[in-house]
Amino acid sequence: MKQGPLLVSLLFACSLFLAVASYTNRQDGERANQSIPFRPDIPRTWDSTAMADFEMPLATVKASPKHVSTDYYYKLPERVIYKSYPVYAPGREPKGYWEWLQKQEPEVVFDPSKLKTEADWIKAGELLFDAPIDIDGAIISNDDVRDPAFYKYTNMPLTKDGVMPYARYVVSQKGKVLLGNLACGMCHTRVNPDGSVLKGAQGNFPGDRATAWLVRRADFPEKAAQFLTGALFNAPFVKDDPNSQLSQRSKDEIAKAFDAVPPGTFGRQGTSILFPPSVPDLIGVKDRTYLDHGGLARHRNIGDMMRYIAVNQALDFLGNYDGYIPVGINNKTLPEAGKSRFVGTFDRHSEAQLYAIAKYVYSLKPPVNPNKPNDVSKRGETIFIEQGCVSCHTPPLYTNNMLTPVDGFTVPEDHPKKYDIFDISIGTDPGYTLKTRRGTGYYKVPSLKGLWYRGPFLHDGSLAKLDDMLNPKRLRDDYVPTGFKGADVTTRAVRGHEFGLDLSATDRNALLAFLKTL
Amino acid sequence: MKLLLWCQLLYLFVNPILVGPKVEESEIRFQIVNAGLTVNGTLSGMEADILFDPQHPEQASIRASVPVKTIQTGISLRDKHLQKPDYFDAEKNPTITLTSKTIRKTGSGTYEGIFSLTMKGIQHDVKLPFTVSPKNEFIGNLKVNRLDYSLGKSSLILADEVAITIRAKLAEGS
């Protein structure tokens, strides 16, 4: 009897199943009711009335984006979600895995007609959260993820099982296994130091280093590097726009700028790698009233969350910013609906897909906090109140869900009545919110919940550790930022949010102990 | 930041003289509970015009004002925030004023006045009991609801009620 090959096949199948299963976080789906029939009331995403006031005006008001019309949006074809598979680092891939992938049939895995309960929708949303919207190598490709040098260059975090969890293989055609990019999970997945995975948390995909790796390739044209950088970041309505200047520089200078963006921050489209945003923690996002560091998008209901996902995946590339369309024809004209060649702009998620993603994101729960309250942290809580932290970081959410203006921006007279404005600048770097396509002139007051598993800190990730926030040396020009520094920068002051800097060591430690319990 | 505060006022005192006495010492303190802890604050630089005869308090006239910019709560950024439109809107309303409307004697050295208190351009009548010592020291206490004056918004953690203590001592012989 030739049982050997059969046994090997069974073992391989089992190990593969376990590997895939262990990578999937189902805790939230399990909590949702699994038996009561659920008939979702799905809002219309690109509702022109809702879209009209979904976003705050930009700091440069005339450049506030005019998004594509409702007619244009719904002419875009819906995305088909194929089954995807984990990517293993070289040397960690189960034997025969790659060959096994080649034999897989394409399988469409999202079918709303089969979703019967709320738990079904959340589970489907998790699948969509991890589903790439690009298989054309928008950031990384098969060549990259199968190359050990790529992992070394990017210092790519891996799970305990050797999985690179930020991208997945997609089989949309039998025998054609392609690396999928730009799932929600690409940015919003965190690998902890112990190799465990925290989905929805502040992600730590070294995405900009991966882009630098791409740009540095000998066969990557300088013009392409400039086009990519421009499409991602140019904000020509800003006076002396530093992003537009960067996108005209040499390939090497552009690569350097991408290299300078550390994991935990990310030069998402419309932001900047000169003022990179830290990746937001999605755990608890259901309770936020504004989205993005600048509070660009309002979050009034699940429909707004769906709009946010649709805009960011990635119809804002077709937004009109005072005549500038990032990936329009000659930056001026919209391509025919569905004819754009830029990732994320020639198709769209279906309403059901967006709804399922939103349900999943809403269901995210924080991991169990190992930092239990004790006498020291209780003392820290008192300091937290005494220092006035509670006014902005108000319990129980540890944010007041308001927007603070930055230095250099004057709050328009009508804003306090229309938005939630906390009219005082805390003096942090205003670059992101004054010099990008997402800049509103404000920063959102962030929640402090989950600080213990997050980092780097501040809106631009300048400080790697929580302790650094309370280090008075960070205000000095000879300070070496522990997080984002900027290309060719060795020292610079990290100013703003100058609270608690004069605490005694004992009080500082108590405050930190309290913050880590949140 | 926080809290709000306010305060103001004063009054004062004595001697049946027509010319207002000089305020030699003054102190305005306020307290508000924030997240379960009491925040203490002060205002300074009070100016006052006072006509007060202890024997005829009903004829008294007291008008006091204090600059909003002098608010101190121990956290400079909070003090700065209190100047903003969501709190005192100091640019448009730089002072807090207190003006007597009626004053009556309630006991030996004790009085009660109805004052017009204006903060952020909003006026309300407030009842202010106060004492006058033989050394011409006036001390009064009152409580106000900050929301009556549009000082900040309703909050889960910041109390509405602000307790205010006003102390003024007139110069000897004034």
Side-chain angles (χ1 to χ4, degrees):
Chain A
M1 295 176 67
K2 293 185 178 179
Q3 290 185 335
L6 177 61
L7 189 59
V8 169
S9 296
L10 280 172
L11 283 172
F12 171 67
C14 287
S15 64
L16 184 62
F17 172 77
L18 287 172
V20 174
S22 66
Y23 170 57
T24 304
N25 176 355
R26 295 200 172 93
Q27 59 173 346
D28 302 304
E30 286 167 356
R31 283 181 190 158
N33 197 302
Q34 302 197 19
S35 57
I36 299 176
F38 178 71
R39 297 186 64 185
D41 181 14
I42 301 178
R44 183 172 165 85
T45 303
W46 219 264
D47 174 277
S48 60
T49 303
M51 287 296 292
D53 57 1
F54 157 64
E55 291 184 333
M56 297 269 295
L58 296 190
T60 306
V61 177
K62 66 176 183 176
S64 301
K66 294 176 183 65
H67 292 295
V68 298
S69 67
T70 299
D71 179 60
Y72 187 102
Y73 180 78
Y74 285 108
K75 277 182 182 169
L76 298 173
E78 293 180 0
R79 290 172 182 144
V80 178
I81 306 301
Y82 291 99
K83 186 173 182 178
S84 62
Y85 302 86
V87 173
Y88 290 88
R92 304 293 298 275
E93 192 171 275
K95 191 176 177 187
Y97 180 68
W98 183 246
E99 293 71 23
W100 178 83
L101 285 175
Q102 310 300 321
K103 295 173 186 169
Q104 299 311 299
E105 297 282 350
E107 185 182 342
V108 176
V109 290
F110 181 78
D111 180 355
S113 68
K114 293 179 179 172
L115 307 178
K116 305 300 182 192
T117 67
E118 190 171 16
D120 290 343
W121 278 91
I122 291 171
K123 192 174 172 185
E126 181 179 8
L127 184 150
L128 288 157
F129 184 86
D130 288 325
I133 65 167
D134 165 76
I135 51 173
D136 296 325
I139 298 182
I140 52 179
S141 65
N142 282 354
D143 288 346
D144 299 322
V145 300
R146 304 188 71 74
D147 181 352
F150 170 73
Y151 291 80
K152 187 177 178 187
Y153 184 89
T154 56
N155 196 23
M156 184 69 69
L158 299 176
T159 71
K160 293 172 184 170
D161 302 320
V163 169
M164 193 279 278
Y166 311 105
R168 291 173 71 84
Y169 292 122
V170 177
V171 177
S172 58
Q173 191 178 326
K174 187 175 181 180
K176 196 171 180 182
V177 181
L178 294 173
L179 195 280
N181 284 283
L182 300 179
C184 306
M186 187 172 223
C187 294
H188 298 289
T189 295
R190 187 175 187 87
V191 178
N192 295 316
D194 66 356
S196 60
V197 172
L198 198 47
K199 293 172 75 167
Q202 180 179 0
N204 54 1
F205 172 54
D208 290 305
R209 288 181 183 164
T211 302
W213 163 268
L214 171 72
V215 168
R216 288 188 189 283
R217 274 172 37 170
D219 61 350
F220 196 81
E222 186 160 89
K223 282 286 180 196
Q226 293 171 336
F227 169 78
L228 176 64
T229 307
L232 286 169
F233 310 123
N234 278 7
F237 52 86
V238 170
K239 186 172 183 290
D240 301 324
D241 177 29
N243 303 291
S244 297
Q245 292 172 26
L246 173 67
S247 67
Q248 295 304 310
R249 293 196 188 129
S250 71
K251 203 171 116 155
D252 184 58
E253 287 174 296
I254 289 172
K256 261 189 187 176
F258 277 107
D259 264 333
V261 181
T265 59
F266 194 66
R268 193 176 199 177
Q269 81 267 12
T271 67
S272 173
I273 47 177
L274 303 173
F275 320 104
S278 56
V279 180
D281 184 5
L282 300 185
I283 299 171
V285 73
K286 188 177 182 182
D287 296 320
R288 309 283 169 265
T289 51
Y290 294 90
L291 307 172
D292 264 13
H293 284 292
L296 175 63
R298 302 170 75 185
H299 185 205
R300 301 162 292 189
N301 48 48
I302 195 169
D304 278 347
M305 177 57 77
M306 293 163 63
R307 283 170 205 112
Y308 183 83
I309 298 166
V311 167
N312 286 276
Q313 291 272 76
L315 265 296
D316 53 353
F317 276 118
L318 292 179
N320 187 324
Y321 300 78
D322 193 28
Y324 172 74
I325 301 174
V327 300
I329 300 166
N330 297 322
N331 298 126
K332 290 186 182 308
T333 310
L334 276 181
E336 188 182 337
K339 300 295 184 189
S340 172
R341 298 179 64 186
F342 201 87
V343 61
T345 61
F346 48 73
D347 58 4
R348 66 177 174 87
H349 280 111
S350 70
E351 305 287 62
Q353 289 168 357
L354 291 170
Y355 182 80
I357 297 171
K359 288 291 286 182
Y360 170 65
V361 169
Y362 281 0
S363 78
L364 290 167
K365 296 287 187 296
V368 175
N369 190 338
N371 306 296
K372 303 302 178 195
N374 56 30
D375 289 345
V376 175
S377 70
K378 283 176 186 166
R379 167 65 189 141
E381 184 174 13
T382 300
I383 295 167
F384 184 77
I385 298 169
E386 287 173 346
Q387 291 290 311
C389 311
V390 287
S391 294
C392 288
H393 301 289
T394 311
L397 300 176
Y398 289 91
T399 172
N400 60 9
N401 266 329
M402 298 179 87
L403 305 171
T404 60
V406 297
D407 294 340
F409 177 73
T410 302
V411 176
E413 211 161 287
D414 61 328
H415 279 206
K417 289 178 184 167
K418 294 167 75 174
Y419 310 112
D420 302 292
I421 307 301
F422 202 76
D423 190 5
I424 186 74
S425 168
I426 58 164
T428 50
D429 187 294
Y432 170 94
T433 202
L434 292 182
K435 296 180 180 177
T436 74
R437 300 202 298 259
R438 293 182 187 235
T440 60
Y442 299 98
Y443 286 128
K444 181 173 67 174
V445 174
S447 171
L448 303 184
K449 295 199 71 137
L451 285 175
W452 64 273
Y453 59 74
R454 285 156 46 186
F457 299 98
L458 286 179
H459 69 271
D460 60 2
S462 288
L463 300 173
K465 296 179 297 176
L466 195 56
D467 309 36
D468 300 330
M469 288 291 298
L470 300 180
N471 181 357
K473 291 180 182 172
R474 71 176 170 85
L475 303 182
R476 291 166 32 172
D477 290 334
D478 63 351
Y479 181 71
V480 180
T482 50
F484 171 72
K485 296 183 187 66
D488 297 323
V489 173
T490 51
T491 65
R492 68 174 172 86
V494 179
R495 297 194 174 89
H497 198 277
E498 294 164 16
F499 301 103
L501 299 181
D502 53 359
L503 289 173
S504 69
T506 303
D507 284 353
R508 185 165 57 241
N509 290 337
L511 179 57
L512 289 168
F514 168 66
L515 294 173
K516 288 174 183 173
T517 65
L518 299 177
Chain B
M1 298 300 68
K2 5 234 108 201
L3 86 87
L4 77 54
L5 79 70
W6 87 257
C7 132
Q8 117 357 271
L9 100 58
L10 147 0
Y11 52 95
L12 227 277
F13 127 101
V14 101
N15 278 341
I17 306 282
L18 289 178
V19 178
K22 183 183 177 189
V23 177
E24 189 176 72
E25 295 175 30
S26 70
E27 188 176 31
I28 300 173
R29 294 181 172 275
F30 61 90
Q31 293 186 320
I32 184 167
V33 175
N34 193 24
L37 294 185
T38 299
V39 174
N40 296 291
T42 62
L43 285 154
S44 56
M46 183 167 64
E47 292 183 354
D49 293 314
I50 300 166
L51 291 175
F52 188 86
D53 179 351
Q55 303 309 312
H56 300 285
E58 72 281 357
Q59 296 176 5
S61 171
I62 298 173
R63 187 179 187 284
S65 69
V66 66
V68 172
K69 67 181 180 185
T70 63
I71 289 173
Q72 290 195 328
T73 65
I75 297 176
S76 60
L77 201 62
R78 175 163 65 194
D79 300 341
K80 194 173 169 187
H81 188 199
L82 290 169
Q83 310 299 316
K84 297 282 189 169
D86 35 350
Y87 285 97
F88 283 94
D89 199 2
E91 195 172 313
K92 291 181 183 171
N93 305 284
T95 57
I96 298 168
T97 62
L98 188 70
T99 306
S100 64
K101 298 180 82 170
T102 62
I103 293 176
R104 68 183 179 91
K105 187 166 184 168
T106 55
S108 175
T110 63
Y111 304 86
E112 183 178 271
I114 301 298
F115 287 76
S116 170
L117 174 61
T118 302
M119 296 192 286
K120 202 179 182 179
I122 299 171
Q123 180 273 327
H124 289 289
D125 286 352
V126 295
K127 188 182 289 185
L128 173 60
F130 61 94
T131 61
V132 181
S133 77
K135 291 190 174 181
N136 293 339
E137 183 177 54
F138 290 67
I139 298 176
N141 295 284
L142 78 160
K143 291 179 179 176
V144 299
N145 185 330
R146 64 184 175 86
L147 299 180
D148 291 343
Y149 296 89
S150 192
L151 301 176
K153 294 178 180 174
S154 183
S155 166
L156 288 175
I157 59 164
L158 182 64
D160 297 339
E161 187 179 82
V162 186
I164 301 159
T165 299
I166 303 163
R167 174 180 166 270
K169 188 174 182 184
L170 300 189
E172 290 289 333
S174 57

